[in-house]
Amino acid sequence: MQTLQVLTLGCSKNQVDTEHILSQVAEKFEIIHESEEEAKVDYLLINTCGFIGDAKEQSIETIMQCVDRKNRGLVGKLMVFGCLSQRYMDQMPELIPEVDAWYGARDFDPIIRDLGCEPKEELRTKRYMPQINHAYAYLKISEGCDRRCSYCAIPYIRGAHKSVPIETLCEEARILASKGIRELVLIAQDTTYYGLDLYKKRALAQLLEELSKIEGIEWIRIHYSYPASFPEDVLDQMANNPKVCKYLDIPLQHIADKVLDNMHRHVDGAWTRELISKLRTQVPGVVLRTTMIVGHPGEGRKEFNELMKFVQEAKFERLGAFTYSEEEGTYGAENFKDSVMPKTKRNRLNELMTAQSGISLAYNESRVGTVEKVLIDDYAERSFVCRSQYESPEVDGEIIVKFDPELFHTDNPSSMCGKFIEVEITGADEYDLEARLVKILE
């Protein structure tokens, strides 16, 4: 068999794309894991990211490293697809002629065909996941975006919003459950927009209800929820459906009216504060993750101070932030001056994240002494790596539980991965928690 390797950069949505492509060609190729950086392969695919400057630099750097591998005789055919490729399709072939083929980020059938396979409809809901060493999987419920935030290039790269039908997602979820997946993390450019194109209404709540009926799936988590026109029936699911985690990733980006207006977010600060209050009232105990942008055009010291005050008042359990990056082709790049100095952006980012560090630590410390249901993701260094419904994989902290064969009644700790246990939280820092076993739940 010929050999094939795929290097996936960027977000979890790209990882899902890679898994779908590989499911279509896995019978024809020996798939080489991406960690084998010096492996000799017949085909090498790179799934690129092109969202912001740092991501573009990483993608180009990876392409050039693979060109070097090809020049040293370690790669037969080099193929590039994904966001960077889609965004710069007209320039890239001339800039890096060593790449044999370039593809976009919207249609993967040409890649599959160029690998000598005909796309099969019956494989659309399957994903290549040969060595699952954790208990969660991402489920991409839609592609593209109809929003036009002034700073964001995603709509120009990924195209218009397109939902995946509920029955298709349920079939994919059933297959994942059969592989031992216990938690689904729903992802899209905007999960709250789900269903508008197919069903002429927001259908995220309906999707949650249908997914929760699948045997083996115990947790369903929502990421990337746009705040404007947030569907309140989703809150009913979070409050009353035991399989829907009381956790929401809702990128707010800012609180100052001037900045939100420049961002084209279609909400203002008062509306945002009311939404946060509603989330916490209607879903008691909900954990909120948000993202903020500092240094956006229109953000002076006054607006940044308002953001700092809001973050300290709202006390988001999880918060990430990044500095504004002017992206060509966006409304912001064409209509605003990127007037905040890079040093000022970095200082503001550090100030914001220092404040959030104290908030995150206080939240984690408040959980010491509580008993929580957790999912075992992995086993490493004689400890189980676990999460409760309040920790999302890869972006949040972990709950570490020491392995004791007498307590866990096994000499094979790896067999516990994917199982639920009850633990008491015994220690906390800014990111992670420590816990001891109370009860094995299954």
Side-chain angles (χ1 to χ4, degrees), residues 6 8-9 11-25 45 47-48 81-83 104-108 111-112 124 126-128 138-144 158 164 172 187 189:
V6 184
T8 303
L9 306 174
C11 65
S12 52
K13 294 183 283 291
N14 276 11
Q15 183 60 43
V16 173
D17 291 341
T18 291
E19 291 168 358
H20 278 302
I21 291 171
L22 287 177
S23 74
Q24 294 277 353
V25 303
L45 275 67
N47 189 351
T48 58
F81 69 105
C83 290
R106 304 176 190 174
D107 181 10
F108 302 130
I111 302 174
I112 296 165
R124 299 287 188 190
K126 296 184 178 179
R127 287 156 59 180
Y128 180 81
Y138 296 99
L139 187 67
K140 187 159 78 165
I141 66 174
S142 65
E143 183 56 274
R158 289 284 181 170
V164 180
E172 186 171 330
I187 55 174
Q189 305 304 330

Side-chain angles (χ1 to χ4, degrees), residues 287 316-318 356-370 372 388 390-391 396-399 425-434:
V287 162
F316 296 102
E317 289 83 1
R318 323 282 186 210
Q356 179 60 34
S357 175
I359 295 169
S360 298
L361 176 60
Y363 168 67
N364 279 354
E365 288 179 337
S366 74
R367 296 166 66 185
V368 173
T370 62
E372 300 186 14
S388 73
Y390 307 118
E391 285 84 34
D396 295 332
E398 297 163 335
I399 300 175
I425 307 299
T426 58
D429 63 24
E430 172 186 349
Y431 300 106
D432 299 325
L433 299 163
E434 295 178 353

